[in-house]
Amino acid sequence: MNGRQFTQLVLLSAVWGGSFPLIRVAAPAFGPVAMACLRCALAALVLSAIMGWTRQAWPARAHWRSLTGLGVLTLVVPFVLYNWAGLVLPAGYSAVLNATSPMFGVLAGVLLAQERFTPSKLIGCVVGLLGVTLLLGLGPVNPGLNVVLAAIACVVAAACYGFGAIYMKRATLAHQALPASAVVHLTSAVVLMPGAALTAPSQAVGLPALLALLVLGAVTSGFTYWISMRLMREIPASAATSSAFLIPLFGVTWGAVFLGEPLTAGLLPGVLLILLASALLTGFHPFRTFKYFSR
């Protein structure tokens, strides 16, 4: 991985970390399913416009079914789950729980016979579960039933990202990144449309929620998904998911700056254990990695 690729990963982390405060603003106004549908539709519009400008063709219809499956795994399910969790959890919580996605990426590699399950990976799983438990027990939010269920929703969404990274890597080898990203968002919006129609908001939506949705759709979904797919053509899927290590830093920071969410010492043990678990499972070593990035 060269310096340009590493810089792109950091920028993606910053943008994706910012999506969690935006979800907290938009989810109560639109509802989890309708918001996910509109977010995918906006992303599809942006990506199709870029396709028209760059004169790229849509993938053959024979490939749309597999791209729809990728969309369900990496957009439909995690978007709805994170939106629902955003009704309950602070943005920083969701961002930290999202850092478990590299753990699931490694587990997916093991299940698909692409990686071996080593003792360090077993320890990583245990440490990760302990980190989630500490985060719920020591953070500023009382760990009631709704909080626990919302945390589980975030972990399931992170698992979708982890497993989806492997299938996204395969898609980048078969398709150009921009048309594939456009199809994935378009078909995801269609899948979500029936549920969105049944749960559409009955009251007028305020300007902050509208602006948050526009940024989520145009920037943190469409544009960054495309950039992520382009980057994944050049680097391994496990390296691409390493951006999740930085998302908690940005998510907690943006939540505190823009939403006034509390930063307490109780967050630190859970955050550190989750990041340690991800490092154990992926073989991430900061000193060795940064030396590698500098090449």
Side-chain angles (χ1 to χ4, degrees):
M1 182 182 296
N2 57 37
R4 175 185 61 82
Q5 294 163 343
F6 177 62
T7 301
Q8 288 181 0
L9 276 181
V10 174
L11 292 176
L12 286 173
S13 300
V15 174
W16 283 330
S19 68
F20 294 100
L22 293 172
I23 288 172
R24 287 281 287 169
V25 174
F30 290 98
V33 181
M35 177 180 160
C37 180
L38 291 170
R39 183 177 176 181
C40 290
L42 285 169
L45 284 174
V46 170
L47 292 171
S48 60
I50 299 174
M51 282 179 60
W53 181 54
T54 57
R55 298 186 178 182
Q56 295 193 42
W58 291 88
R61 289 298 176 91
H63 301 295
W64 282 46
R65 179 177 295 181
S66 62
L67 291 173
T68 299
L70 178 62
V72 170
L73 187 59
T74 62
L75 295 176
V76 174
V77 176
F79 277 11
V80 172
L81 291 176
Y82 276 127
N83 291 347
W84 180 75
L87 301 175
V88 179
L89 293 179
Y93 268 58
S94 297
V96 170
L97 293 171
N98 181 77
T100 60
S101 58
M103 297 162 47
F104 291 104
V106 172
L107 291 176
V110 171
L111 292 175
L112 296 174
Q114 296 185 3
E115 298 190 32
R116 292 188 305 108
F117 197 71
T118 63
S120 66
K121 293 173 182 177
L122 175 61
I123 296 172
C125 290
V126 175
V127 171
L129 292 174
L130 179 59
V132 171
T133 303
L134 285 178
L135 178 68
L136 294 176
L138 301 178
V141 176
N142 293 326
L145 178 60
N146 285 341
V147 171
V148 173
L149 292 176
I152 292 173
C154 288
V155 173
V156 174
C160 290
Y161 286 145
F163 278 78
I166 293 178
Y167 295 101
M168 187 184 293
K169 176 67 176 181
R170 293 178 180 176
T172 63
L173 300 177
H175 310 284
Q176 292 296 316
L178 179 57
S181 299
V183 170
V184 166
H185 283 87
L186 178 60
T187 56
S188 294
V190 173
V191 169
L192 287 162
M193 201 171 292
L198 293 174
T199 60
S202 57
Q203 298 179 346
V205 176
L207 182 59
L210 283 173
L211 292 176
L213 178 65
L214 286 173
V215 176
L216 283 166
V219 180
T220 71
S221 294
F223 189 74
T224 54
Y225 195 97
W226 169 37
I227 298 301
S228 178
M229 286 198 75
R230 287 182 56 186
L231 184 60
M232 200 169 282
R233 288 177 67 94
E234 305 172 3
I235 63 177
S238 58
T241 57
S242 67
S243 63
F245 294 144
L246 296 174
I247 289 177
L249 171 63
F250 291 108
V252 171
T253 301
W254 300 151
V257 171
F258 295 108
L259 300 181
E261 293 181 354
L263 294 175
T264 66
L267 285 170
L268 185 60
V271 171
L272 291 178
L273 284 177
I274 289 173
L275 294 180
L276 174 60
S278 297
L280 288 169
L281 281 164
T282 60
F284 175 81
H285 188 290
F287 298 106
R288 182 174 65 240
T289 304
F290 292 136
K291 181 180 179 180
Y292 179 61
F293 286 153
S294 64
R295 294 178 182 176

